[in-house]
């Protein structure tokens, strides 16, 4: 009841303001949209806050389940930035490829891009654990809407995609694995939401 009264007072006050609004931007270029509102000579500051997400408290049946959850948190934190890089790089590559004049130029561009990506990210990715590699395959599908197999096939050809799928199978994973945030991957999706919000 107290919360409802406070909210009502704030809404009534804001409905009758005459003011000047100022937009502030932080060092990352994110809009904070802080407004200075003058009402009957008083100054009120409003600021947009980050969205806070609330989930039911995790209840673990045993220590093994709890350990698996925290391992998932670790793996998401490690691999999510790389999956986002893949998504961003894919968008930039597609944009560039549409502007190139012929297949020869496109092949040269893709070879150059592959060299740059390997040089920049391969040393860190080699340090990933097996479970983090599997997580990365899932998250790439989440970020790009393509499986890793489809991406290799598009940019390197069917034979190369089949080769790497065979290698993945030997090591017990699948490049054709899809991400399903609403069902089997809902715990991963929860972790991603909390990590991106800075709550985990």
């Amino acid at each position: 009841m107290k919360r409802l009264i406070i909210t009502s007072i704030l809404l009534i006050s804001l409905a009758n303001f005459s003011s000047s609004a100022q937009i502030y931007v932080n060092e990352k270029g994110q809009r904070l949209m802080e407004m200075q509102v003058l009402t009957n000579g008083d100054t009120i500051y409003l600021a947009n806050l980050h969205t806070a997400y609330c989930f039911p408290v995790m209840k673990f049946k045993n220590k093994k389940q709890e350990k698996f959850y925290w391992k998932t948190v670790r793996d998401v934190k490690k691999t999510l930035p790389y999956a986002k890089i893949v998504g961003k790089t894919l968008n930039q590559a597609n944009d560039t490829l549409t502007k190139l004049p012929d297949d020869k130029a496109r092949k040269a561009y893709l070879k150059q891009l592959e060299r740059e990506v390997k040089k920049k990210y391969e040393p860190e990715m080699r340090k990933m654990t097996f479970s983090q590699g599997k997580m990365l395959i899932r998250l790439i599908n989440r970020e790009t809407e393509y499986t890793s197999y489809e991406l290799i096939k598009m940019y390197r050809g069917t034979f190369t995609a089949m080769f790497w799928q065979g290698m993945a199978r030997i090591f017990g994973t699948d490049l054709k694995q899809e991400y399903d945030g609403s069902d089997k991957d809902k715990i991963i999706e929860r972790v991603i939401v909390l990590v991106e919000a800075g709550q985990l």
Side-chain angles (χ1 to χ4, degrees):
M1 185 68 176
K2 186 178 177 184
R3 199 179 285 175
L4 180 63
I5 292 168
I6 292 169
T7 305
S8 300
I9 291 168
L10 283 172
L11 289 173
I12 292 165
S13 300
L14 292 175
N16 299 314
F17 72 81
S18 60
S19 71
S20 61
Q22 295 177 341
I23 297 173
Y24 297 91
V25 179
N26 67 12
E27 66 277 356
K28 293 181 181 177
Q30 297 166 325
R31 288 167 58 109
L32 301 177
M33 289 195 66
E34 192 169 301
M35 294 172 60
Q36 181 181 16
V37 182
L38 302 175
T39 308
N40 298 329
D42 291 331
T43 304
I44 303 170
Y45 290 97
L46 302 175
N48 283 353
L49 301 175
H50 294 293
T51 303
Y53 296 93
C54 295
F55 289 97
V57 176
M58 288 294 297
K59 292 180 181 175
F60 304 107
K61 293 177 184 174
N62 50 49
K63 285 283 183 186
K64 185 178 178 182
Q65 196 179 59
E66 184 178 4
K67 187 178 177 183
F68 179 79
Y69 174 77
W70 289 110
K71 185 173 168 228
T72 301
V73 171
R74 179 203 71 187
D75 291 350
V76 166
K77 284 184 172 183
K78 178 77 175 179
T79 59
L80 186 61
Y82 291 104
K84 289 190 176 296
I85 288 165
V86 170
K88 186 178 176 184
T89 303
L90 182 66
N91 288 336
Q92 290 171 345
N94 286 338
D95 188 49
T96 303
L97 287 169
T98 58
K99 295 172 184 172
L100 295 174
D102 53 37
D103 280 346
K104 187 178 178 182
R106 284 188 277 274
K107 282 181 181 177
Y109 168 74
L110 287 173
K111 278 189 176 181
Q112 178 62 29
L113 181 63
E114 185 181 355
R115 278 195 295 270
E116 288 171 9
V117 168
K118 272 187 175 179
K119 185 178 178 182
K120 192 170 183 181
Y121 300 112
E122 191 175 21
E124 279 301 310
M125 294 181 94
R126 282 188 176 276
K127 294 176 188 174
M128 286 185 184
T129 64
F130 178 70
S131 65
Q132 287 166 353
K134 289 177 79 171
M135 180 68 72
L136 182 60
I137 289 169
R138 278 174 140 141
L139 298 189
I140 285 172
N141 181 234
R142 180 185 184 268
E143 292 297 318
T144 66
E145 297 181 6
Y146 293 101
T147 65
S148 296
Y149 179 85
E150 289 168 334
L151 290 172
I152 296 169
K153 186 178 175 181
M154 277 192 290
Y155 294 103
R156 297 291 306 278
T158 304
F159 177 77
T160 306
M162 288 172 67
F163 171 79
W164 286 111
Q165 172 66 352
M167 292 298 287
R169 284 295 201 186
I170 290 169
F171 291 102
T173 191
D174 183 3
L175 296 179
K176 295 180 181 180
Q177 192 171 41
E178 295 183 359
Y179 183 83
D180 181 6
S182 62
D183 186 24
K184 65 178 182 178
D185 294 324
K186 62 184 177 183
I187 294 295
I188 297 172
E189 188 63 26
R190 169 182 167 148
V191 170
I192 290 169
V193 167
L194 292 173
V195 166
E196 288 182 328
Q199 291 177 241
L200 192 59

